[in-house]
Amino acid sequence: MTEAATPVSEHHHADVSGGWLRPAVFGAMDGLVTNIALIAGVGGGGVAPRNIVLTGFAGLVAGAISMALGEYTSVQSQNEQVAAEVAKERRELERNPAGEARELADAWVERGLPRELAEQVAEVLRDNPEEALRVHVQEELGVDADERPSPWTAALSSFLCFSVGAVVPLLSYLLGFSSLWLALGVGGVGLFVAGALVARFTRRRWWVSGGRQLLLGAAATAATYLVGRLIGVGVS
């Protein structure tokens, strides 16, 4: 009687190379912190609720556009730099394939692979230029030449998430309330919830991640409120 085959355990990893998570998280957090702090600053200076809302929406639009443009430029520049290095590595493989194979084998030997095996694998790769290029780029640059983040994805993620984050502290004003402290409290809840949601991707404790974001946002809010209060008293 043959034994039943042990089922193979399958697991899946999150997509960490798509280029959306970092700008989305950064955008949402920046939108929350920026507008909470902005509202605290102008509110601390004694500005009327109507003007606080106007200031908040101006900050939302300006910040979302700035974040999107910054993310697009950053990711596109990084991709262009990687493309230039990949082209350089391709030329080296065409000019000196034997030397590049030795370089790759030496790198593997330094990591503990037996030299004979490392040289065999490097020689096999020599006969497959495209795969050799991919492996060399991975080993020397630490990137996958076929999986580069999209600058458009990064820009759109940042724009949308900044906008969502920035509108949260304005919600109480939009619902007809005029209390600055209520708006800041809503913003604080938004910071905690956003941090807790990030923990789903990072596998950290949700309350630790949420508390960290709340603490950082509170520090920024306190600083801008104090500045707004001092300026408001000084010009009144």
Side-chain angles (χ1 to χ4, degrees), residues 3 5 57 68-69 76 152 170 196 226:
E3 295 183 0
F57 272 102
L69 292 176
Q76 182 65 16
W152 289 107
L170 296 172
L226 179 60

Side-chain angles (χ1 to χ4, degrees), residues 107-129:
W108 285 337
V109 170
E110 290 180 2
R111 296 186 181 184
L113 202 65
R115 175 163 291 279
E116 182 179 356
L117 178 58
E119 291 177 348
Q120 288 177 352
V121 176
E123 286 298 320
V124 170
L125 284 175
R126 236 177 109 182
D127 299 328
N128 188 341

